[in-house]
């Protein structure tokens, strides 16, 4: 399919907008005194999300948004095109290789949700194992949140939830028959890293939170197959042992590794980057709370990941180097003295995978993945770079027998490919396998480039730009700039088939790698973190100015978007420099920084955004909190705030408050620059959403942008 480039057709007259005033929103001011600063919150009442008043208001806003978006004539055709592109090929992920079996998630064309598959080896016959939307005797739509095969590949622990809630119920599936065993363990949504199966397959260790909590006060329990979960014995975590004290936001996990006599316990301290680790003899886990755990890593060691292999622990440390180094610890020595294995360099070390003969380290180098192989042998480790077929991102790294690796590799313009690499043989070429079948899309007309943009303080910020090769730089391109910038998360090159629906219109998609992310190491993360969070917003603004100055777009054809923690980024940009943007999307966004910490997901996020109980933190948070920066009478871009009614991470009242405040600031803005609150009542934060839900939202948001850009094909009739 060749790109059909069409120029942006600007409407000859002022574009038509919503015809009716916004739904009424009550204001019930509540005042708080933060360290001598009084802050008035007119929409505190929304935080009671179960109230009939809030639910009624949410419905009225959702209906208003739906009616407004339905007026856009080009929306239906755009949605159809998105569907065609989404069904142009398969998508796979979540590779787990156990006992000669490959387990993975796959969505085939026409399917609305990824399903779980199993095949005999990498190139064997595959079989659909579980369709979450077609479970016998259990009607309704479900999503597979996580899964872990047993060491013999006979059983599978899987977390299932519905409505985008991420409220996983742990089930156990028999692989041969595809039937569930009797297990149904609730409150297991925190097992994003899976469970730890016992070597005799009699049960597993898993994380469970209390019924009245969502992210806090969790512990690891031991479950025996067939046992009543209420009788499961606590092993590690909140209030399990008087010896080890945990904070409410600590998230504990236990791992068991093939070929190792040790159990590794990991604790995430909320959303802090650094973690803590303990070890204990695996054959003593039956002691439960009395298990003799030995702490080997604390937050002061600044370890971001540790894995166990035999008697060795391999860890990524940023204590001495922002871009991290690989260390190892011999557990037989019973010390905490680490030795260097792979020194720090220009690349950012991101993830460690362990094979029988080597340790593999994925890194980020100038925006693309790099892979090192560290051989396991006495007298030091031999380090070699693993050749990759093109510049892109490694999404999956799964060791195979015989020293080979199964990887999933993709780029901005390269569709995902499943490849078998043989790192031990330098001359051996990559071998493509059909775990991920190639799609039929022709991206030869698309270009991706990476430029460095000077921010407000002289720091150079990476900006990735995707566009048609034939699109002129005339300042009229419909352009969407996105940004995130939190938790040290990197925005790596990823392929998106549906992006072509925008690019083939002559559009531009740009990703600003703002500080707060991890693209350039922990220093980059710390550069947009609590007291320095304004840099995240300023970097985004600098990238917007770059796109305008270099004639990719103009303020009339530029939209900004940010989601979740990226809500701070886009919210800050449109409240500080609204004149740069014609429109914006604030998606499932953290919008009220002063009240976030009092939500179920608030305590873990204090490590990333700060706390209002700290005067310095409060000052920095208040200065950039999107909801609090909106000013009456100031002209803002058109805004579409999107949320899921079941969102467990950023509750729907946060985007709701922002939309209400923007509507109140300019009550007549519906006539020129509307503010819409789009609500998915069967969705959450995005995890677990079906393809149709995601495409519907994309069609709505892009249509909204094109409407505001003045594209003649997207102007509602008067």
């Amino acid at each position: 399919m060749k790109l059909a480039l069409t120029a942006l057709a600007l409407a000859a007259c002022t574009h038509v907008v919503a015809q009716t005033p916004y739904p009424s929103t009550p204001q019930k001011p509540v005042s708080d005194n933060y360290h001598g600063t009084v802050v008035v919150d007119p929409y505190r009442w929304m935080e009671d999300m179960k109230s009939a008043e809030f639910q009624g208001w949410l419905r009225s806003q959702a209906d208003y948004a739906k009616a407004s978006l339905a007026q856009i004539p080009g929306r239906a055709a755009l949605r159809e095109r998105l569907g065609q592109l989404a069904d142009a090929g398969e998508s796979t992920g979540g590779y787990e290789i156990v006992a000669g079996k490959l387990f993975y998630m796959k969505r085939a064309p026409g399917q609305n949700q990824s399903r779980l598959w199993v095949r005999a080896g990498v190139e064997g016959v595959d079989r659909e194992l579980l369709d979450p939307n077609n479970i016998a005797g259990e009607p309704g739509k479900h999503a597979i949140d996580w899964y872990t095969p047993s060491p013999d590949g006979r059983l599978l622990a899987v977390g299932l939830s519905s409505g985008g809630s991420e409220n996983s119920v742990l089930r156990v599936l028999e692989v041969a028959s595809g039937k569930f065993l009797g297990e149904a363990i609730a409150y297991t949504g925190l097992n994003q890293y899976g469970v730890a199966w016992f070597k005799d397959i009699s049960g597993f260790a898993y994380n469970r939170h209390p019924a009245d909590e969502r992210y806090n006060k969790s512990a690891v329990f031991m479950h025996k197959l067939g046992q009543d979960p209420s009788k499961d014995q606590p092993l590690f975590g909140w209030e399990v042992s008087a010896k080890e004290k945990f904070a409410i936001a600590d998230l504990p996990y236990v791992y068991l590794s093939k070929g190792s006599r040790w159990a590794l316990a990991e604790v995430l301290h909320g959303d802090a980057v650094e973690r803590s680790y303990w070890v204990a003899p695996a054959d003593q886990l039956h002691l439960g709370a009395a298990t003799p755990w030995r702490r080997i890593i604390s937050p002061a060691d600044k370890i971001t990941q540790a894995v166990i292999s035999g008697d060795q622990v391999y860890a990524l440390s940023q204590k001495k180097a922002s871009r991290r180094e690989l260390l190892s610890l011999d557990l037989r020595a019973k010390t905490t003295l680490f030795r260097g294995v792979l020194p720090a360099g220009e690349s950012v070390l991101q993830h460690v995978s362990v094979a029988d003969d080597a340790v593999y380290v994925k890194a980020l180098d100038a925006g693309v993945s790099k892979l090192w192989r560290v051989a396991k042998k006495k007298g030091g480790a031999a380090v070699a770079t693993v050749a990759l077929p093109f510049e892109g991102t490694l999404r999956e790294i799964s060791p195979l027998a015989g020293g080979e690796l199964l990887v999933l590799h993709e780029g901005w313009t390269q569709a995902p490919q499943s490849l078998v690499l043989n790192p031990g043989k330098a001359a051996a070429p990559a071998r493509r396998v059909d775990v991920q079948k190639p799609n039929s899309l022709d991206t030869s007309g698309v270009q991706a480039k990476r430029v460095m943009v000077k921010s407000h303080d002289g720091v150079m910020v990476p900006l990735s730009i995707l566009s048609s090769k034939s699109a002129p730089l005339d300042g009229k391109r419909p352009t969407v700039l996105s940004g995130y910038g939190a938790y040290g998360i990197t925005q790596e090159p990823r392929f998106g088939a549906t992006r072509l629906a925008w690019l083939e219109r002559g559009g531009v998609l740009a990703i600003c790698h703002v500080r707060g992310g991890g693209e350039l190491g922990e220093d980059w993360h710390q550069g947009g973190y609590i007291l320095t969070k304004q840099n995240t917003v300023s970097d985004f603004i600098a990238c917007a100015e770059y796109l305008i100055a270099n004639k990719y777009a103009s303020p009339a054809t530029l939209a900004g978007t940010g989601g979740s923690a990226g809500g701070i980024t886009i919210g800050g940009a449109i409240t500080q420099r609204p004149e740069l943007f014609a429109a914006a999307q604030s998606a499932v966004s953290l919008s009220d920084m002063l009240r976030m910490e009092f939500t179920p997901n608030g305590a873990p996020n204090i490590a990333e955004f700060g706390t209002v109980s700290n005067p310095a933190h409060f000052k920095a948070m208040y200065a950039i909190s999107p909801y609090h920066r909106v000013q009456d009478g100031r002209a803002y871009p058109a805004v579409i705030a999107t949320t899921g009614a079941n969102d467990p991470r950023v509750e729907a009242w946060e985007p709701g408050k922002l939309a209400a405040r923007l509507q109140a600031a300019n009550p007549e803005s519906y006539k020129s620059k509307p503010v819409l609150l789009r609500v998915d009542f069967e969705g959450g934060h995005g995890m677990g959403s079906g393809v149709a839900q995601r495409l519907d939202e994309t069609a709505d948001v892009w249509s909204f942008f094109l409407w505001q850009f003045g594209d003649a094909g997207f102007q509602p009739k008067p």
Side-chain angles (χ1 to χ4, degrees):
M1 187 275 302
K2 294 290 184 182
L3 291 178
L5 177 64
T6 60
L8 174 66
L10 294 176
C13 58
T14 303
H15 46 272
V16 181
V17 295
Q19 299 293 308
T20 59
Y22 299 122
S24 175
T25 304
Q27 295 191 23
K28 304 176 184 180
V30 174
S31 296
D32 296 295
N33 189 318
Y34 298 97
H35 314 289
T37 299
V38 176
V39 178
V40 179
D41 183 354
Y43 303 118
R44 180 71 55 82
W45 62 269
M46 292 186 182
E47 296 179 24
D48 182 6
M49 288 183 54
K50 294 182 180 179
S51 70
E53 183 177 28
F54 177 75
Q55 289 297 319
W57 177 83
L58 197 65
R59 287 282 179 184
S60 69
Q61 288 284 339
D63 291 344
Y64 183 87
K66 185 176 181 180
S68 298
L69 294 166
Q71 299 178 54
I72 305 175
R75 192 265 180 204
L78 177 59
R79 173 61 177 84
E80 182 179 5
R81 182 65 182 136
L82 288 167
Q84 293 170 351
L85 292 167
D87 283 342
E90 295 180 347
S91 61
T92 64
Y95 299 173
E96 293 281 351
I97 299 172
V98 175
K101 298 185 179 73
L102 170 63
F103 297 87
Y104 61 104
M105 300 293 295
K106 179 173 75 173
R107 188 192 79 88
Q111 295 177 347
N112 191 43
Q113 192 78 279
S114 292
R115 304 176 183 183
L116 183 59
W117 287 68
V118 62
R119 64 166 59 191
V122 171
E123 298 177 274
V125 176
D126 55 9
R127 170 171 62 93
E128 184 180 302
L129 188 56
L130 178 62
D131 176 0
N133 288 334
N134 188 27
I135 300 176
E138 299 182 33
K141 297 179 179 179
H142 299 82
I144 298 173
D145 297 328
W146 51 266
Y147 65 92
T148 309
S150 61
D152 60 0
R154 185 174 57 85
L155 300 174
L156 193 89
V158 58
L160 295 171
S161 65
S162 61
S165 66
E166 302 177 59
N167 291 326
S168 305
V169 174
L170 191 160
R171 308 290 297 274
V172 176
L173 188 73
E174 187 178 59
V175 173
S177 67
K179 295 181 179 180
F180 285 114
L181 303 186
E183 272 70 17
I185 308 176
Y187 314 118
T188 53
L190 297 177
N191 289 281
Q192 66 265 40
Y193 303 113
V195 305
W197 280 93
F198 302 143
K199 293 181 180 179
D200 62 1
I201 325 299
S202 63
F204 46 79
Y206 69 101
N207 178 289
R208 190 174 80 202
H209 61 82
D212 59 348
E213 290 283 354
R214 181 59 184 84
Y215 295 98
N216 302 316
K217 301 180 181 179
S218 69
V220 175
F221 290 79
M222 297 196 303
H223 178 74
K224 293 287 186 179
L225 293 177
Q227 178 174 278
D228 183 341
S230 66
K231 297 180 181 178
D232 288 353
Q233 185 179 7
L235 174 62
F236 187 76
W238 177 259
E239 294 187 340
V240 171
S241 170
K243 181 181 177 181
E244 302 292 348
K245 299 296 183 182
F246 293 91
I248 64 168
D250 286 344
L251 298 178
Y253 300 93
V254 169
Y255 305 103
L256 295 170
S257 176
K258 181 185 71 172
S260 179
R261 57 196 175 99
W262 302 96
L264 181 70
E266 175 185 54
V267 174
L268 281 62
H269 302 290
D271 289 315
V273 175
E274 294 88 4
R275 306 178 180 190
S276 295
Y277 292 88
W278 286 255
V279 294
D283 60 5
Q284 295 187 40
L285 293 184
H286 68 279
L287 298 175
T291 299
W293 294 105
R294 173 167 64 100
R295 188 167 187 160
I296 57 172
I297 296 169
S298 71
D301 297 310
K302 296 188 178 300
I303 300 295
T304 61
Q305 184 200 4
V307 295
I308 200 164
S309 177
D311 291 315
Q312 300 293 316
V313 170
Y314 293 92
L316 292 179
S317 172
Q318 55 193 28
K319 186 172 184 177
K320 297 179 181 178
S322 169
R323 302 192 181 191
R324 306 186 190 107
E325 59 181 329
L326 179 67
L327 308 176
S328 70
L329 172 69
D330 190 335
L331 295 176
R332 294 168 297 185
K334 294 188 178 181
T335 71
T336 56
L337 182 63
F338 283 83
R339 69 177 182 88
V341 176
L342 182 63
E346 290 300 310
S347 301
V348 181
L349 306 189
Q350 296 176 297
H351 186 77
V352 179
S353 300
V354 175
D356 291 338
D357 61 340
V359 176
Y360 291 93
V361 182
K362 176 193 170 186
L364 188 67
D365 186 14
V368 298
S369 288
K370 187 174 183 179
L371 186 63
W372 275 288
R373 180 181 186 271
V374 182
K376 297 178 182 176
K377 66 176 185 179
K378 295 181 179 180
V383 179
T385 302
V386 180
L388 300 176
F390 57 86
E391 291 189 346
T393 297
L394 287 173
R395 279 180 47 210
E396 304 278 348
I397 303 173
S398 301
L400 302 171
E404 292 186 320
L405 287 181
L406 173 65
V407 302
L408 187 63
H409 195 206
E410 65 181 313
W412 291 123
T413 60
Q414 293 91 1
Q417 303 175 22
S418 52
L419 305 167
V420 173
L421 310 178
N422 197 329
K425 297 180 180 179
R431 183 174 85 253
R432 175 178 277 181
V433 292
D434 71 347
V435 179
Q436 169 70 61
K437 292 184 174 66
N439 66 38
S440 58
L441 297 175
D442 179 4
T443 61
S444 60
V446 177
Q447 63 181 353
K449 61 187 298 186
R450 184 175 185 260
V451 299
M452 301 300 287
V453 176
K454 183 180 289 187
S455 193
H456 69 107
D457 54 358
V459 170
M460 302 303 289
V461 179
L463 174 65
S464 299
I465 304 174
L466 309 180
S467 66
S468 166
K469 292 178 180 178
S470 57
L473 296 181
D474 56 5
K476 299 178 181 179
R477 300 300 92 205
T479 301
V480 180
L481 174 65
S482 63
Y484 186 69
Y487 311 112
I489 292 173
T490 60
Q491 302 285 84
E492 298 177 276
R494 296 287 298 272
F495 182 79
T498 54
R499 291 195 192 111
L500 294 179
W502 188 267
L503 298 175
E504 66 194 12
R505 300 183 62 84
V508 176
L509 296 170
I511 301 92
C512 182
H513 304 278
V514 296
R515 278 172 280 186
E519 283 84 349
L520 297 174
E522 180 58 13
D523 287 347
W524 198 249
H525 172 223
Q526 294 287 329
Y529 169 83
I530 306 182
L531 300 182
T532 58
K533 192 62 184 172
Q534 174 59 44
N535 287 331
T536 302
V537 177
S538 297
D539 291 350
F540 190 85
I541 290 171
C543 287
E545 292 175 328
Y546 177 93
L547 293 170
I548 294 169
N550 288 272
K551 297 191 179 302
Y552 286 94
S554 72
T557 63
L558 178 61
T561 182
S564 192
I568 301 171
T569 310
I570 187 60
I574 63 172
T575 53
Q576 294 178 29
R577 293 294 303 279
E579 75 280 3
L580 293 175
F581 306 93
Q585 179 198 17
S586 182
V588 293
S589 58
L590 201 170
S591 304
D592 183 345
M593 295 190 70
L594 305 187
R595 296 291 298 170
M596 173 66 186
E597 68 182 274
F598 303 106
T599 68
N601 191 28
N605 277 281
I606 289 174
E608 178 66 24
F609 303 117
T611 171
V612 295
S613 64
N614 180 306
H617 289 187
F618 161 73
K619 183 178 180 181
M621 294 163 71
Y622 185 44
I624 61 169
S625 179
Y627 170 59
H628 298 95
R629 293 304 101 206
V630 178
Q631 300 174 21
D632 290 338
R634 189 175 187 189
Y636 293 105
V639 174
I640 180 168
T642 57
T643 188
N646 304 318
D647 192 337
R649 299 180 184 234
V650 180
E651 295 184 331
W653 61 258
E654 288 214 47
K657 274 189 177 184
L658 179 64
R661 183 69 189 93
L662 285 166
Q663 290 175 356
N666 291 289
E668 301 293 308
S669 60
Y670 68 90
K671 298 177 181 178
S672 58
K673 290 289 183 181
V675 175
L676 303 182
L677 178 60
R678 183 193 186 277
V679 185
D680 184 347
F681 287 96
E682 294 184 350
H685 202 65
M687 293 74 170
S689 293
V691 173
Q693 287 172 287
R694 294 195 292 270
L695 297 184
D696 285 345
E697 179 175 326
T698 300
D700 283 346
V701 172
W702 285 0
S703 296
F704 181 81
F705 288 168
L706 291 168
W707 169 21
Q708 296 306 308
F709 293 165
D711 189 307
F714 289 79
Q715 300 310 301
K717 295 179 180 180

